[in-house]
């Protein structure tokens, strides 16, 4: 069976990493079509599956749709998976679906229904295309119950086409080099993901700043991810202004995430948006790292409170500060409990294996 994955970008990001791991494990013939540009993950995918980078433009939306259809036709597409949720991606997928009458169209919802909502004319066009795509598609993969519920609420869709397909990770890639270091300072905190305002990095910096001097010396924070606009630059400047340079480190985008997670003790995910899943949370747990996040979106589906991590109800700098202090106290003074949390984190991560994801996803190909 020939499966075409339609994506915008092939750089470092959750969707590209997920589909790379799918291509590694799937027995189907997976093809990858990137509308705008490739990148590091696209280069890795080439080791397992064909990759085409269209270098397209938003100004040539119908031309891009025709080019995508031609690609699908030339590769005898049986299944088209639309990963972008954007106007250009939906147009490409709908056009190909119309022309290739026997190909199945699967929508892959990677975020909450309103996460990237646009306003004005462009927003109205995108809403129209989303509704049309749902009507014409053969199935939907929602990455969590939270995402599924958000679409039912915002768009009033019926449930019959929607399956929950939790994001999967290649658990064999993740490990820990810190299992014998329970209670040994400093507490190594890490964040991995996109670095832009909805991810709440400013709250994490603010929370660290509120800690007293002695507590600050007990932690180290590593922020791993790529920039969106000038947000990272502003956060680095803020960190310096607060005198936190020796405590908080910005690494930029990295390809050695498993190694970075292996040296961590706590994963802090300070997102203030309705997170659709948070694949880096699963990766951290696979590395035996307990996670800490606000009670938003799908977080309660990933973190089992006080078993493999911590859920914060007070969505504020103060609430995050208190949660970090609590985690530090358990790490420093209750090593047996902390080690149990580490092991529970790994067990939970195994339920999010790429094999489980594939089993559910590929069932949509043949329904």
């Amino acid at each position: 069976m020939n499966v075409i994955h339609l994506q915008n970008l092939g750089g470092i990001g959750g969707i590209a990493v997920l589909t790379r791991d799918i291509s590694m494990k799937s027995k189907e013939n997976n093809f990858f079509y990137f509308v705008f540009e490739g990148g590091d993950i696209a280069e890795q995918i080439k080791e397992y599956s064909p990759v085409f980078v269209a270098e397209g433009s938003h100004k040539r939306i119908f031309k891009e749709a025709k080019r995508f259809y031609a690609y699908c036709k030339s590769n005898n597409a049986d299944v088209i998976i639309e990963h972008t949720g954007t106007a250009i991606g939906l147009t490409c997928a709908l056009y190909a679906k119309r022309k290739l009458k026997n190909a199945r169209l699967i929508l892959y919802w990677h975020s909450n229904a309103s996460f990237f909502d646009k306003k004005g004319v462009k927003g109205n066009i995108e809403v129209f295309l989303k509704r049309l795509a749902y009507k014409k598609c053969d199935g939907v993969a929602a990455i969590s119950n939270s995402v599924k519920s958000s679409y039912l609420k915002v768009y009033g869709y019926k449930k019959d086409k929607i399956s929950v397909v939790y994001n999967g990770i290649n658990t064999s890639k993740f490990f820990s080099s810190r299992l014998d270091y329970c209670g040994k300072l400093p507490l190594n905190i890490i964040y991995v993901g996109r670095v832009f305002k909805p991810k709440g990095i400013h709250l994490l910096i603010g929370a660290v700043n509120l800690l007293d001097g002695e507590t600050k010396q007990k932690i180290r924070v590593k922020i791993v991810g790529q920039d969106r606009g000038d947000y990272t630059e502003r956060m680095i400047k803020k960190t310096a202004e607060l005198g936190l340079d020796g405590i908080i480190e910005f690494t930029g985008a990295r390809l050695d995430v498993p190694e970075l997670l292996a040296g961590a003790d706590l994963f802090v995910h300070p997102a203030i948006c309705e997170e659709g899943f948070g694949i880096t949370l699963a990766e951290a747990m696979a590395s035996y790292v307990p996670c800490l996040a606000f009670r938003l979106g799908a977080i309660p589906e990933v973190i089992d409170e006080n078993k493999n991590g911590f859920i914060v109800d007070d969505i504020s700098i103060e609430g995050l500060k208190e949660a970090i202090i609590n985690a530090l106290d358990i790490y420093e003074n209750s090593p047996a409990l902390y080690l149990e949390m580490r092991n529970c984190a790994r067990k939970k991560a195994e339920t999010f294996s790429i094999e489980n994801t594939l089993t559910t996803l590929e069932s949509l190909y043949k329904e």
Side-chain angles (χ1 to χ4, degrees), residues 273-287:
C273 56
E274 293 284 335
E275 194 71 84
F277 180 82
I279 198 166
T280 52
L281 290 166
E283 292 176 344
M285 288 182 177
S287 307

Side-chain angles (χ1 to χ4, degrees), residues 9-78:
L9 309 170
I12 298 172
I15 298 174
V17 169
L18 171 66
T19 54
R20 176 202 64 194
D21 291 347
I22 285 173
S23 74
M24 291 171 59
K25 296 290 184 176
S26 176
K27 295 180 181 179
E28 308 296 349
N29 300 317
N30 289 273
F31 298 78
F32 293 81
Y33 188 102
F34 296 99
V35 177
F36 298 113
E37 61 184 58
D40 291 326
I41 304 304
E43 290 301 311
Q44 293 177 356
I45 291 172
K46 285 181 181 178
E47 299 177 18
Y48 310 97
S49 301
V51 169
F52 179 79
V53 179
E55 297 183 351
S57 168
H58 286 289
K59 297 179 180 179
R60 304 190 303 268
I61 190 167
F62 294 111
K63 181 178 179 180
E64 300 304 337
K66 290 179 179 179
R67 178 157 53 174
F68 177 67
Y69 157 66
Y71 181 83
C72 291
K73 183 180 180 181
S74 66
N75 288 288
N76 300 311
D78 297 300

Side-chain angles (χ1 to χ4, degrees), residues 143-159:
I143 63 172
S144 66
N145 281 300
S146 176
V147 168
K148 177 179 177 178
S149 297
S150 74
Y151 274 88
L152 295 176
K153 180 179 179 181
V154 172
Y155 292 98
Y157 294 150
K158 294 180 180 180
K159 300 178 181 180

Side-chain angles (χ1 to χ4, degrees), residues 135-208:
K135 182 179 179 180
K136 299 294 184 182
C137 78
D138 298 285
V140 176
I143 63 172
S144 66
N145 281 300
S146 176
V147 168
K148 177 179 177 178
S149 297
S150 74
Y151 274 88
L152 295 176
K153 180 179 179 181
V154 172
Y155 292 98
Y157 294 150
K158 294 180 180 180
K159 300 178 181 180
D160 57 331
K161 287 186 177 181
I162 309 171
S163 299
V164 173
V165 183
Y166 283 117
N167 281 344
I169 58 171
N170 186 350
T171 55
S172 64
K173 291 177 55 179
F174 297 93
F175 59 98
S176 175
S177 60
R178 295 280 292 177
L179 287 176
D180 296 330
Y181 288 81
C182 292
K184 294 184 180 181
L185 298 173
L187 173 75
N188 291 309
I189 297 173
I190 193 169
Y191 165 83
V192 180
R194 288 177 293 174
V195 179
F196 67 131
K197 192 172 183 179
K199 295 298 184 179
I201 303 303
H202 54 289
L203 297 187
L204 178 55
I205 295 170
V208 172

Side-chain angles (χ1 to χ4, degrees), residues 309-324:
F310 310 88
I311 298 179
V312 186
D313 291 302
D314 180 5
I315 304 170
S316 68
I317 291 175
E318 183 67 31
L320 190 57
K321 181 202 80 169
E322 293 300 324
I324 291 172

